[in-house]
Coordinates of all heavy atoms in Angstrom, one line a residue:
G50 N 1.7 -16.0 -49.4 CA 1.4 -17.4 -49.1 C 0.7 -17.6 -47.8 O 0.5 -16.7 -47.0
L51 N 0.4 -18.9 -47.6 CA -0.3 -19.3 -46.4 C 0.7 -19.7 -45.3 O 1.7 -20.3 -45.7 CB -1.3 -20.4 -46.7 CG -2.4 -20.1 -47.6 CD1 -3.2 -21.4 -47.9 CD2 -3.3 -19.1 -47.0
E52 N 0.4 -19.5 -44.1 CA 1.2 -19.9 -43.0 C 0.3 -21.0 -42.3 O -0.7 -20.7 -41.7 CB 1.5 -18.8 -42.0 CG 2.5 -17.8 -42.5 CD 3.9 -18.5 -42.5 OE1 4.2 -19.3 -41.6 OE2 4.7 -18.1 -43.4
P53 N 0.8 -22.3 -42.3 CA 0.0 -23.3 -41.6 C 0.1 -23.2 -40.1 O 1.2 -22.8 -39.6 CB 0.7 -24.6 -42.1 CG 2.1 -24.2 -42.5 CD 2.0 -22.8 -43.0
N54 N -0.9 -23.5 -39.4 CA -1.0 -23.5 -38.0 C -1.1 -25.0 -37.6 O -2.2 -25.6 -37.7 CB -2.1 -22.7 -37.4 CG -2.2 -22.7 -35.9 OD1 -1.2 -23.2 -35.2 ND2 -3.3 -22.3 -35.3
I55 N 0.0 -25.6 -37.3 CA 0.0 -27.1 -37.1 C -0.3 -27.4 -35.6 O 0.4 -26.9 -34.7 CB 1.4 -27.7 -37.5 CG1 1.6 -27.4 -39.0 CG2 1.4 -29.2 -37.2 CD1 2.9 -27.8 -39.5
L56 N -1.2 -28.2 -35.4 CA -1.6 -28.6 -34.0 C -1.5 -30.2 -34.0 O -1.9 -30.9 -34.9 CB -3.1 -28.2 -33.8 CG -3.7 -28.8 -32.5 CD1 -3.0 -28.1 -31.3 CD2 -5.2 -28.5 -32.5
R57 N -0.9 -30.6 -32.9 CA -0.8 -32.1 -32.7 C -1.6 -32.5 -31.5 O -1.5 -31.8 -30.5 CB 0.7 -32.5 -32.6 CG 1.5 -32.3 -33.8 CD 2.9 -32.8 -33.7 NE 3.6 -32.7 -34.9 CZ 4.8 -32.1 -35.0 NH1 5.4 -31.6 -34.0 NH2 5.3 -32.0 -36.2
T58 N -2.3 -33.5 -31.6 CA -3.1 -34.1 -30.5 C -3.2 -35.6 -30.6 O -3.1 -36.1 -31.7 CB -4.5 -33.4 -30.4 OG1 -5.2 -34.0 -29.3 CG2 -5.3 -33.7 -31.7
A59 N -3.3 -36.2 -29.5 CA -3.4 -37.7 -29.5 C -4.8 -38.2 -29.6 O -5.0 -39.4 -29.8 CB -2.7 -38.3 -28.3
R60 N -5.8 -37.3 -29.5 CA -7.2 -37.7 -29.5 C -7.8 -37.6 -30.9 O -8.1 -36.5 -31.4 CB -8.0 -36.9 -28.5 CG -7.5 -37.2 -27.1 CD -8.4 -36.7 -26.0 NE -9.8 -37.1 -26.2 CZ -10.3 -38.2 -25.7 NH1 -9.6 -38.9 -24.9 NH2 -11.6 -38.5 -25.9
L61 N -8.0 -38.8 -31.5 CA -8.6 -38.8 -32.8 C -9.9 -38.2 -32.9 O -10.3 -37.5 -33.8 CB -8.6 -40.2 -33.4 CG -9.0 -40.4 -34.8 CD1 -8.0 -39.6 -35.7 CD2 -9.0 -41.8 -35.2
E62 N -10.7 -38.4 -31.8 CA -12.1 -37.8 -31.8 C -12.0 -36.3 -31.9 O -12.8 -35.6 -32.6 CB -12.8 -38.2 -30.5 CG -13.0 -39.7 -30.3 CD -11.8 -40.3 -29.5 OE1 -10.7 -39.7 -29.4 OE2 -12.1 -41.4 -28.9
T63 N -11.0 -35.6 -31.2 CA -10.8 -34.2 -31.3 C -10.5 -33.7 -32.7 O -11.0 -32.8 -33.2 CB -9.7 -33.8 -30.3 OG1 -10.1 -34.2 -29.0 CG2 -9.5 -32.3 -30.3
I64 N -9.6 -34.5 -33.3 CA -9.2 -34.1 -34.7 C -10.4 -34.2 -35.6 O -10.6 -33.3 -36.4 CB -8.1 -35.1 -35.2 CG1 -6.8 -34.9 -34.3 CG2 -7.8 -34.9 -36.6 CD1 -5.8 -36.0 -34.5
I65 N -11.1 -35.3 -35.6 CA -12.2 -35.5 -36.5 C -13.3 -34.4 -36.3 O -13.9 -33.9 -37.2 CB -12.8 -36.9 -36.4 CG1 -11.7 -37.8 -37.0 CG2 -14.1 -37.0 -37.1 CD1 -12.1 -39.3 -37.0
S66 N -13.6 -34.1 -35.0 CA -14.6 -33.1 -34.7 C -14.1 -31.7 -35.2 O -14.9 -31.0 -35.8 CB -14.8 -33.0 -33.2 OG -15.4 -34.1 -32.7
A67 N -12.8 -31.4 -35.1 CA -12.3 -30.1 -35.6 C -12.5 -30.0 -37.1 O -12.9 -29.0 -37.7 CB -10.9 -29.9 -35.2
V68 N -12.2 -31.1 -37.8 CA -12.3 -31.2 -39.3 C -13.8 -31.0 -39.7 O -14.1 -30.3 -40.6 CB -11.7 -32.5 -39.9 CG1 -12.0 -32.6 -41.3 CG2 -10.2 -32.5 -39.6
A69 N -14.6 -31.7 -39.0 CA -16.1 -31.6 -39.3 C -16.6 -30.2 -39.1 O -17.6 -29.8 -39.8 CB -16.8 -32.6 -38.4
E70 N -16.1 -29.5 -38.1 CA -16.5 -28.1 -37.9 C -15.9 -27.1 -38.9 O -16.1 -25.9 -38.8 CB -16.2 -27.7 -36.4 CG -17.0 -28.4 -35.4 CD -18.5 -28.1 -35.5 OE1 -18.9 -27.0 -35.8 OE2 -19.3 -29.1 -35.4
G71 N -15.0 -27.6 -39.7 CA -14.4 -26.7 -40.7 C -13.2 -25.9 -40.2 O -12.8 -24.9 -40.7
E72 N -12.6 -26.4 -39.1 CA -11.5 -25.7 -38.4 C -10.2 -26.1 -39.0 O -9.1 -25.5 -38.6 CB -11.5 -26.0 -36.9 CG -12.8 -25.4 -36.2 CD -12.8 -25.8 -34.8 OE1 -12.0 -26.6 -34.3 OE2 -13.8 -25.4 -34.1
G73 N -10.1 -27.0 -40.0 CA -8.8 -27.4 -40.6 C -8.9 -28.7 -41.3 O -10.0 -29.2 -41.6
L74 N -7.7 -29.2 -41.6 CA -7.5 -30.5 -42.3 C -6.7 -31.3 -41.4 O -6.1 -30.8 -40.5 CB -6.7 -30.3 -43.6 CG -7.3 -29.2 -44.6 CD1 -6.3 -29.0 -45.7 CD2 -8.6 -29.7 -45.2
S75 N -6.6 -32.6 -41.7 CA -5.8 -33.5 -40.9 C -5.3 -34.6 -41.7 O -5.9 -35.1 -42.6 CB -6.6 -34.1 -39.7 OG -5.8 -34.9 -38.9
L76 N -4.1 -35.1 -41.4 CA -3.5 -36.3 -42.0 C -3.6 -37.4 -40.9 O -3.1 -37.3 -39.8 CB -2.0 -36.1 -42.3 CG -1.7 -35.1 -43.4 CD1 -0.2 -34.9 -43.5 CD2 -2.2 -35.6 -44.7
I77 N -4.4 -38.4 -41.2 CA -4.6 -39.5 -40.3 C -4.6 -40.8 -41.1 O -4.9 -40.7 -42.3 CB -6.0 -39.4 -39.5 CG1 -7.2 -39.3 -40.4 CG2 -5.9 -38.1 -38.6 CD1 -8.5 -39.4 -39.7
P78 N -4.3 -41.9 -40.5 CA -4.4 -43.1 -41.2 C -5.9 -43.4 -41.7 O -6.8 -43.2 -40.9 CB -4.0 -44.2 -40.2 CG -3.2 -43.4 -39.2 CD -3.8 -42.1 -39.2
K79 N -6.0 -43.8 -42.9 CA -7.4 -44.1 -43.4 C -8.1 -45.1 -42.6 O -9.3 -44.9 -42.4 CB -7.3 -44.6 -44.9 CG -8.6 -44.8 -45.6 CD -8.4 -45.2 -47.0 CE -9.8 -45.3 -47.7 NZ -9.6 -45.7 -49.1
S80 N -7.4 -46.1 -42.0 CA -8.1 -47.1 -41.2 C -8.7 -46.4 -39.9 O -9.7 -46.8 -39.5 CB -7.1 -48.1 -40.8 OG -6.0 -47.6 -40.1
N81 N -8.1 -45.4 -39.4 CA -8.6 -44.7 -38.3 C -9.9 -43.9 -38.6 O -10.8 -43.7 -37.8 CB -7.6 -43.7 -37.6 CG -6.5 -44.5 -36.9 OD1 -6.5 -45.7 -36.8 ND2 -5.5 -43.8 -36.4
L82 N -9.9 -43.3 -39.8 CA -11.1 -42.6 -40.2 C -12.3 -43.5 -40.2 O -13.4 -43.1 -39.9 CB -10.9 -41.9 -41.6 CG -12.0 -41.0 -42.1 CD1 -12.2 -39.9 -41.1 CD2 -11.7 -40.5 -43.4
G83 N -12.1 -44.8 -40.6 CA -13.2 -45.7 -40.6 C -13.7 -46.0 -39.2 O -14.9 -46.4 -39.1
L84 N -12.9 -45.9 -38.2 CA -13.3 -46.2 -36.9 C -14.2 -45.1 -36.3 O -15.1 -45.4 -35.5 CB -12.1 -46.3 -35.9 CG -11.1 -47.5 -36.2 CD1 -9.9 -47.4 -35.3 CD2 -11.9 -48.8 -35.9
F85 N -14.0 -43.9 -36.7 CA -14.8 -42.8 -36.2 C -15.5 -42.1 -37.4 O -15.2 -41.0 -37.8 CB -13.9 -41.8 -35.5 CG -13.2 -42.3 -34.4 CD1 -11.9 -42.9 -34.5 CD2 -13.8 -42.3 -33.1 CE1 -11.3 -43.4 -33.4 CE2 -13.1 -42.9 -32.0 CZ -11.9 -43.4 -32.1
R86 N -16.5 -42.8 -37.9 CA -17.2 -42.3 -39.1 C -18.0 -41.0 -38.7 O -18.5 -40.8 -37.7 CB -18.2 -43.3 -39.6 CG -17.6 -44.6 -40.1 CD -18.6 -45.6 -40.5 NE -18.0 -46.9 -40.8 CZ -17.5 -47.2 -41.9 NH1 -17.5 -46.4 -42.9 NH2 -17.0 -48.4 -42.0
H87 N -17.9 -40.1 -39.7 CA -18.6 -38.8 -39.5 C -19.1 -38.4 -40.9 O -18.4 -38.3 -41.8 CB -17.7 -37.7 -38.9 CG -18.3 -36.5 -38.4 ND1 -18.9 -35.6 -39.2 CD2 -18.5 -36.1 -37.2 CE1 -19.5 -34.7 -38.5 NE2 -19.2 -34.9 -37.2
D88 N -20.4 -38.0 -40.9 CA -21.1 -37.7 -42.2 C -20.4 -36.5 -42.9 O -20.5 -36.3 -44.1 CB -22.6 -37.5 -42.0 CG -23.3 -38.7 -41.7 OD1 -22.8 -39.8 -42.0 OD2 -24.4 -38.6 -41.1
G89 N -19.9 -35.6 -42.1 CA -19.3 -34.3 -42.6 C -17.9 -34.4 -43.1 O -17.3 -33.4 -43.4
I90 N -17.3 -35.6 -43.1 CA -15.9 -35.7 -43.5 C -15.8 -36.7 -44.6 O -16.4 -37.7 -44.7 CB -15.1 -36.2 -42.3 CG1 -15.1 -35.2 -41.2 CG2 -13.7 -36.6 -42.7 CD1 -14.3 -35.6 -39.9
T91 N -14.8 -36.4 -45.5 CA -14.5 -37.3 -46.6 C -13.0 -37.5 -46.6 O -12.3 -36.6 -46.2 CB -15.0 -36.8 -48.0 OG1 -14.9 -37.8 -48.9 CG2 -14.3 -35.6 -48.4
A92 N -12.6 -38.6 -47.2 CA -11.1 -38.9 -47.3 C -10.7 -38.5 -48.7 O -11.3 -38.9 -49.7 CB -10.8 -40.3 -47.0
A93 N -9.5 -37.9 -48.8 CA -8.9 -37.6 -50.1 C -7.6 -38.4 -50.1 O -6.7 -38.2 -49.2 CB -8.6 -36.1 -50.2
A94 N -7.4 -39.2 -51.2 CA -6.2 -40.0 -51.3 C -5.0 -39.1 -51.6 O -5.1 -38.1 -52.3 CB -6.4 -41.0 -52.4
L95 N -3.9 -39.4 -51.0 CA -2.6 -38.7 -51.3 C -1.9 -39.4 -52.4 O -1.8 -40.7 -52.4 CB -1.8 -38.7 -50.0 CG -2.4 -38.0 -48.8 CD1 -1.5 -38.1 -47.6 CD2 -2.7 -36.5 -49.1
C96 N -1.3 -38.7 -53.3 CA -0.7 -39.3 -54.4 C 0.7 -38.6 -54.6 O 0.8 -37.4 -54.8 CB -1.5 -39.1 -55.7 SG -0.9 -40.0 -57.1
P97 N 1.8 -39.4 -54.4 CA 1.8 -40.8 -54.1 C 1.4 -41.1 -52.7 O 1.6 -40.2 -51.8 CB 3.3 -41.2 -54.4 CG 4.0 -39.9 -54.1 CD 3.1 -38.8 -54.5
P98 N 1.0 -42.3 -52.4 CA 0.6 -42.7 -51.0 C 1.8 -42.6 -50.1 O 2.9 -42.7 -50.4 CB 0.2 -44.1 -51.1 CG 0.1 -44.4 -52.6 CD 0.8 -43.4 -53.3
I99 N 1.5 -42.2 -48.8 CA 2.5 -42.1 -47.8 C 2.5 -43.4 -47.0 O 1.5 -43.8 -46.4 CB 2.3 -41.0 -46.8 CG1 2.3 -39.6 -47.6 CG2 3.3 -40.9 -45.7 CD1 1.8 -38.4 -46.8
P100 N 3.7 -44.2 -46.9 CA 3.7 -45.4 -46.1 C 3.6 -45.1 -44.7 O 4.1 -44.0 -44.2 CB 5.0 -46.0 -46.5 CG 5.9 -44.9 -47.0 CD 5.0 -43.9 -47.6
L101 N 2.9 -45.9 -43.9 CA 2.7 -45.7 -42.5 C 3.5 -46.7 -41.7 O 3.3 -47.9 -41.9 CB 1.2 -45.8 -42.2 CG 0.8 -45.7 -40.7 CD1 1.0 -44.3 -40.2 CD2 -0.7 -46.1 -40.6
N102 N 4.3 -46.2 -40.9 CA 5.1 -47.1 -40.0 C 4.3 -47.5 -38.8 O 3.7 -46.6 -38.2 CB 6.4 -46.5 -39.6 CG 7.4 -46.3 -40.7 OD1 7.5 -47.2 -41.6 ND2 8.1 -45.3 -40.7
V103 N 4.2 -48.8 -38.5 CA 3.5 -49.2 -37.3 C 4.4 -50.1 -36.5 O 5.3 -50.8 -37.0 CB 2.3 -50.1 -37.8 CG1 1.5 -50.7 -36.6 CG2 1.4 -49.4 -38.7
V104 N 4.3 -49.9 -35.2 CA 5.1 -50.7 -34.2 C 4.1 -51.4 -33.2 O 3.0 -51.0 -33.1 CB 6.1 -49.8 -33.4 CG1 7.1 -49.1 -34.4 CG2 5.3 -48.7 -32.6
L105 N 4.7 -52.4 -32.6 CA 3.9 -53.1 -31.6 C 4.4 -52.5 -30.2 O 5.6 -52.6 -29.9 CB 4.2 -54.6 -31.6 CG 3.5 -55.4 -30.6 CD1 2.0 -55.4 -30.8 CD2 4.0 -56.8 -30.6
A106 N 3.5 -51.9 -29.5 CA 3.9 -51.3 -28.2 C 3.6 -52.3 -27.1 O 2.6 -53.0 -27.1 CB 3.1 -50.0 -28.0
K107 N 4.6 -52.4 -26.1 CA 4.4 -53.2 -25.0 C 5.0 -52.5 -23.8 O 5.8 -51.6 -23.9 CB 4.9 -54.6 -25.2 CG 6.4 -54.7 -25.3 CD 6.8 -56.1 -25.6 CE 7.8 -56.8 -24.7 NZ 8.1 -56.8 -23.4
K108 N 4.6 -53.0 -22.6 CA 5.1 -52.4 -21.4 C 6.6 -52.5 -21.3 O 7.2 -53.6 -21.5 CB 4.4 -53.0 -20.2 CG 4.8 -52.4 -18.9 CD 4.0 -53.0 -17.7 CE 4.4 -52.3 -16.4 NZ 3.7 -52.9 -15.3
K109 N 7.3 -51.5 -20.9 CA 8.7 -51.4 -20.8 C 9.2 -52.4 -19.7 O 8.6 -52.4 -18.7 CB 9.2 -50.0 -20.6 CG 10.7 -49.8 -20.7 CD 11.0 -48.3 -20.6 CE 12.4 -48.0 -20.8 NZ 12.7 -46.6 -20.8
N110 N 10.3 -53.1 -20.0 CA 10.9 -53.9 -19.0 C 10.0 -55.1 -18.5 O 10.2 -55.6 -17.4 CB 11.4 -53.2 -17.8 CG 12.5 -52.1 -18.1 OD1 13.3 -52.4 -19.0 ND2 12.4 -51.0 -17.5
S111 N 9.1 -55.5 -19.4 CA 8.2 -56.6 -19.0 C 8.6 -57.8 -19.8 O 9.2 -57.7 -20.9 CB 6.8 -56.3 -19.2 OG 6.5 -56.1 -20.6
R112 N 8.4 -59.0 -19.2 CA 8.7 -60.2 -20.0 C 7.6 -60.4 -21.1 O 6.5 -60.0 -20.9 CB 8.6 -61.4 -19.0 CG 9.8 -61.4 -18.0 CD 9.8 -62.7 -17.2 NE 9.8 -63.8 -18.1 CZ 9.8 -65.1 -17.8 NH1 9.8 -65.4 -16.5 NH2 9.9 -66.0 -18.6
T113 N 8.1 -60.9 -22.2 CA 7.2 -61.2 -23.3 C 6.5 -62.5 -23.0 O 7.2 -63.6 -22.9 CB 7.9 -61.2 -24.6 OG1 8.6 -60.0 -24.8 CG2 7.0 -61.5 -25.8
S114 N 5.2 -62.5 -23.0 CA 4.4 -63.8 -22.7 C 4.4 -64.6 -24.0 O 4.8 -64.1 -25.1 CB 3.0 -63.5 -22.3 OG 2.3 -63.0 -23.4
R115 N 4.1 -65.9 -23.9 CA 4.0 -66.7 -25.0 C 3.0 -66.2 -26.0 O 3.2 -66.2 -27.3 CB 3.7 -68.2 -24.6 CG 3.6 -69.1 -25.7 CD 3.3 -70.5 -25.2 NE 3.1 -71.4 -26.4 CZ 2.6 -72.6 -26.3 NH1 2.4 -73.1 -25.1 NH2 2.5 -73.3 -27.4
A116 N 1.9 -65.7 -25.6 CA 0.8 -65.2 -26.4 C 1.3 -64.0 -27.2 O 1.1 -63.8 -28.4 CB -0.4 -64.9 -25.6
Q117 N 2.1 -63.1 -26.5 CA 2.6 -61.9 -27.1 C 3.6 -62.3 -28.2 O 3.6 -61.7 -29.3 CB 3.3 -61.0 -26.1 CG 2.3 -60.3 -25.2 CD 3.0 -59.6 -24.1 OE1 4.1 -59.9 -23.6 NE2 2.4 -58.5 -23.6
A118 N 4.5 -63.3 -27.9 CA 5.5 -63.7 -28.9 C 4.8 -64.3 -30.1 O 5.2 -64.0 -31.2 CB 6.4 -64.7 -28.2
E119 N 3.8 -65.1 -29.9 CA 3.1 -65.7 -31.0 C 2.4 -64.6 -31.9 O 2.4 -64.7 -33.1 CB 2.1 -66.8 -30.6 CG 2.8 -68.0 -30.1 CD 1.8 -69.1 -29.6 OE1 0.6 -69.0 -29.9 OE2 2.3 -70.0 -28.9
F120 N 1.8 -63.7 -31.2 CA 1.1 -62.6 -31.9 C 2.1 -61.8 -32.8 O 1.9 -61.5 -33.9 CB 0.4 -61.6 -30.9 CG -0.2 -60.4 -31.6 CD1 -1.4 -60.6 -32.4 CD2 0.3 -59.2 -31.4 CE1 -2.0 -59.5 -33.0 CE2 -0.3 -58.1 -32.0 CZ -1.4 -58.3 -32.8
L121 N 3.3 -61.5 -32.2 CA 4.3 -60.8 -32.9 C 4.8 -61.6 -34.1 O 5.0 -61.0 -35.2 CB 5.5 -60.5 -32.0 CG 6.6 -59.7 -32.6 CD1 6.2 -58.4 -33.2 CD2 7.7 -59.4 -31.6
Q122 N 5.0 -62.9 -34.0 CA 5.4 -63.7 -35.1 C 4.3 -63.7 -36.2 O 4.6 -63.7 -37.4 CB 5.7 -65.2 -34.6 CG 6.9 -65.3 -33.8 CD 7.1 -66.7 -33.2 OE1 6.2 -67.5 -33.4 NE2 8.2 -66.9 -32.5
Y123 N 3.1 -63.8 -35.8 CA 2.0 -63.7 -36.7 C 2.0 -62.4 -37.5 O 1.9 -62.4 -38.8 CB 0.6 -63.9 -36.0 CG -0.6 -63.7 -36.8 CD1 -1.0 -64.7 -37.7 CD2 -1.3 -62.5 -36.7 CE1 -2.2 -64.5 -38.5 CE2 -2.4 -62.3 -37.5 CZ -2.9 -63.3 -38.4 OH -4.0 -63.1 -39.1
I124 N 2.1 -61.3 -36.8 CA 2.1 -60.0 -37.5 C 3.3 -59.9 -38.5 O 3.2 -59.4 -39.6 CB 2.2 -58.9 -36.4 CG1 0.9 -58.8 -35.6 CG2 2.4 -57.5 -37.1 CD1 -0.4 -58.6 -36.5
Q125 N 4.5 -60.4 -38.0 CA 5.7 -60.3 -38.9 C 5.5 -61.2 -40.1 O 6.1 -60.9 -41.2 CB 6.9 -60.7 -38.1 CG 7.3 -59.7 -37.1 CD 8.4 -60.1 -36.1 OE1 8.5 -61.3 -35.8 NE2 9.1 -59.1 -35.6
R126 N 4.8 -62.3 -40.0 CA 4.5 -63.1 -41.2 C 3.6 -62.4 -42.2 O 3.7 -62.4 -43.4 CB 3.9 -64.5 -40.8 CG 4.8 -65.5 -40.4 CD 4.2 -66.9 -40.4 NE 2.9 -67.0 -39.7 CZ 2.8 -67.2 -38.4 NH1 3.8 -67.4 -37.6 NH2 1.6 -67.3 -37.8
I127 N 2.6 -61.7 -41.7 CA 1.6 -61.0 -42.5 C 2.2 -59.8 -43.2 O 1.9 -59.5 -44.3 CB 0.3 -60.7 -41.7 CG1 -0.4 -61.9 -41.3 CG2 -0.6 -59.7 -42.5 CD1 -1.6 -61.7 -40.4
F128 N 3.0 -59.1 -42.4 CA 3.6 -57.8 -42.8 C 5.1 -57.9 -42.8 O 5.7 -57.3 -41.9 CB 3.1 -56.6 -42.0 CG 1.6 -56.4 -41.9 CD1 0.9 -56.8 -40.8 CD2 0.9 -55.9 -43.0 CE1 -0.5 -56.6 -40.7 CE2 -0.4 -55.8 -43.0 CZ -1.1 -56.1 -41.8
P129 N 5.7 -58.7 -43.7 CA 7.1 -58.8 -43.7 C 7.8 -57.5 -44.0 O 7.3 -56.6 -44.7 CB 7.4 -59.8 -44.8 CG 6.2 -59.8 -45.7 CD 5.1 -59.4 -44.8
Q130 N 9.0 -57.3 -43.4 CA 9.7 -56.0 -43.7 C 10.3 -56.1 -45.1 O 10.7 -57.1 -45.5 CB 10.8 -55.8 -42.7 CG 10.3 -55.6 -41.3 CD 11.4 -55.4 -40.3 OE1 12.6 -55.3 -40.7 NE2 11.1 -55.3 -39.0
S131 N 10.3 -54.9 -45.8 CA 10.8 -54.9 -47.1 C 12.3 -54.6 -47.1 O 12.9 -54.3 -46.2 CB 10.1 -53.9 -48.0 OG 9.7 -52.8 -47.3

């Protein structure tokens, strides 16, 4: 069998460049692939689809501003938890 060599990196540009050079495959959110279009890469749908958990990140120990609170309420209305 094959032994995968799993590499983790936070830089999407690095991942896409490596895939474009034929150095491997990557699992990335489809929406991110659209941000960094590359002619040498195509997306293959996973079946069944994998749900993607998303969180809202904010500075630790900071007060939530009115704008932040309203944005969070807006997001929670659009994407209600199941």
Side-chain angles (χ1 to χ4, degrees):
L51 297 175
E52 285 289 324
N54 181 10
I55 299 174
L56 173 69
R57 293 187 177 126
T58 179
R60 296 196 48 95
L61 188 58
E62 301 92 337
T63 303
I64 295 168
I65 290 177
S66 293
V68 171
E70 291 298 318
E72 295 174 358
L74 307 170
S75 181
L76 294 173
I77 60 173
K79 186 176 181 179
S80 59
N81 287 358
L82 186 58
L84 294 174
F85 298 93
R86 297 181 191 271
H87 194 289
D88 292 335
I90 295 179
T91 188
L95 301 175
C96 191
I99 298 172
L101 177 66
N102 290 324
V103 177
V104 297
L105 180 66
K107 69 183 230 42
K108 185 175 179 180
K109 192 175 186 176
N110 299 325
S111 67
R112 291 187 56 182
T113 301
S114 71
R115 181 176 173 191
Q117 289 171 331
E119 289 181 18
F120 177 71
L121 182 56
Q122 288 173 357
Y123 171 76
I124 294 299
Q125 289 171 333
R126 277 195 311 272
I127 293 176
F128 302 106
Q130 293 182 4
S131 36

